[in-house]
Amino acid sequence: VLTDGKWLKFILNQIIANSLKYQREKGAFIEIRTKQMNQQTLLIVRDNGIGIKSSELARVFDKSFTGSNGRGGASSTGMGLYLCKKLILKLGHEITITSKENEFTEVTIIFSHSDFYQVL
């Protein structure tokens, strides 16, 4: 993919740190994989942690939003995913998050393929 490596590292560190912060007590895992779709490459980070309440999912990228998990014990500022979203948009990519409470959270970064390097 064509992107800024330094900022992508920051974004991935934040996503993985969240997975570790909200992991289940036993049998925790983080899966990182890629998938090619048409003119996009997806980078998917999935964990089997405590998940996010469906009522809070739409707000996870909002500035200063911590949600009930962040207020319940983990030290959270609500800035991590907010900054990730801002940086992703600046880089010209997209980010989505899906989750089911007590089952999983999956963050997907969507990189559009640029035709800049295509051979004619």
Side-chain angles (χ1 to χ4, degrees):
V1 297
L2 184 60
T3 194
D4 184 281
K6 183 192 292 186
W7 288 119
L8 183 60
K9 180 180 175 184
F10 172 86
I11 292 162
L12 288 174
N13 280 337
Q14 182 61 49
I15 293 167
I16 292 168
N18 281 353
S19 288
L20 294 172
K21 188 187 302 187
Y22 300 111
Q23 68 183 329
R24 61 180 62 218
E25 289 186 32
K26 294 184 180 179
F29 73 82
I30 300 172
E31 174 187 55
I32 301 172
R33 60 189 171 90
T34 61
K35 183 177 182 181
Q36 299 292 323
M37 289 184 56
N38 299 322
Q39 292 298 314
Q40 298 176 325
T41 298
L42 309 181
L43 177 61
I44 303 159
V45 180
R46 183 183 178 101
D47 65 49
N48 66 338
I50 62 175
I52 302 166
K53 289 183 179 182
S54 59
S55 61
E56 298 176 345
L57 201 52
R59 298 186 58 208
V60 295
F61 294 116
D62 291 352
K63 187 176 184 179
S64 301
F65 181 74
T66 57
S68 57
N69 292 335
R71 292 188 301 270
S75 59
S76 300
T77 63
M79 294 302 291
L81 289 176
Y82 167 76
L83 290 173
C84 287
K85 176 83 172 198
K86 289 290 186 189
L87 289 170
I88 286 288
L89 293 176
K90 289 270 188 200
L91 292 170
H93 311 310
E94 298 175 49
I95 187 169
T96 63
I97 189 164
T98 57
S99 186
K100 187 166 184 182
E101 195 172 11
N102 299 314
E103 288 190 29
F104 75 92
T105 299
E106 184 173 282
V107 179
T108 303
I109 300 173
I110 304 162
F111 302 93
S112 293
H113 292 182
S114 170
D115 62 359
F116 183 76
Y117 292 109
Q118 284 185 343
V119 178
L120 298 177

